Amino acid sequence: MTKLTIVAFDGTRFDIDADNGSTVMENAVRNSVPGIEAECGGACACATCHVYVDEAWTEKVGPPAAMEEDMLDFAIDVKPTSRLSCQIKIKADFDGLVVNVPERQA
Ligand code: FES
């Protein structure tokens, strides 16, 4: 189990014990975090699971892969810290990870 915090746009914090190997998106959906629609179910094909990785974590989480970066073009209000949450796999190293949900999704 790895501690994951997802902060909704209105500031509501969802503190989650996430399974290693699960994705941030799966944890958001399981915990009914508003704003993560995940229309494609995690196939990196919709951009409705867009999140901002907390700045303290961006280096550790790393940049998006090429396919993810292409799909981020379809997200709204993309920032340097933007990632698709279905492409972030939880691992022990990410204990305490914080991501923020944008105001709106594509
Ligand atoms: Fe569709 Fe992540 S759930 S791109």
Side-chain angles (χ1 to χ4, degrees):
M1 289 289 191
T2 296
K3 294 256 179 250
L4 164 69
T5 297
I6 306 176
V7 184
F9 180 70
D10 66 0
T12 307
R13 291 172 71 90
F14 293 78
D15 294 313
I16 297 165
D17 286 323
D19 287 328
N20 292 339
S22 65
T23 67
V24 172
M25 176 280 275
E26 287 164 348
N27 286 285
V29 169
R30 211 174 287 144
N31 289 275
S32 305
V33 176
I36 300 291
E37 289 164 28
E39 277 167 16
C40 78
C44 197
C46 74
T48 62
C49 67
H50 175 207
V51 294
Y52 303 122
V53 175
D54 186 274
E55 285 187 7
W57 284 92
T58 46
E59 217 178 287
K60 202 162 216 177
V61 173
M67 184 174 146
E68 181 184 343
E69 205 170 326
D70 286 349
M71 194 45 60
L72 271 169
D73 288 346
F74 296 94
I76 294 175
D77 297 333
V78 174
K79 299 181 186 176
T81 57
S82 290
R83 290 288 313 264
L84 294 179
S85 60
C86 69
Q87 302 301 305
I88 306 175
K89 269 214 167 85
I90 297 295
K91 51 183 178 178
D93 247 22
F94 289 177
D95 196 43
L97 175 63
V98 179
V99 302
N100 298 278
V101 179
E103 183 177 358
R104 27 190 204 119
Q105 297 285 16

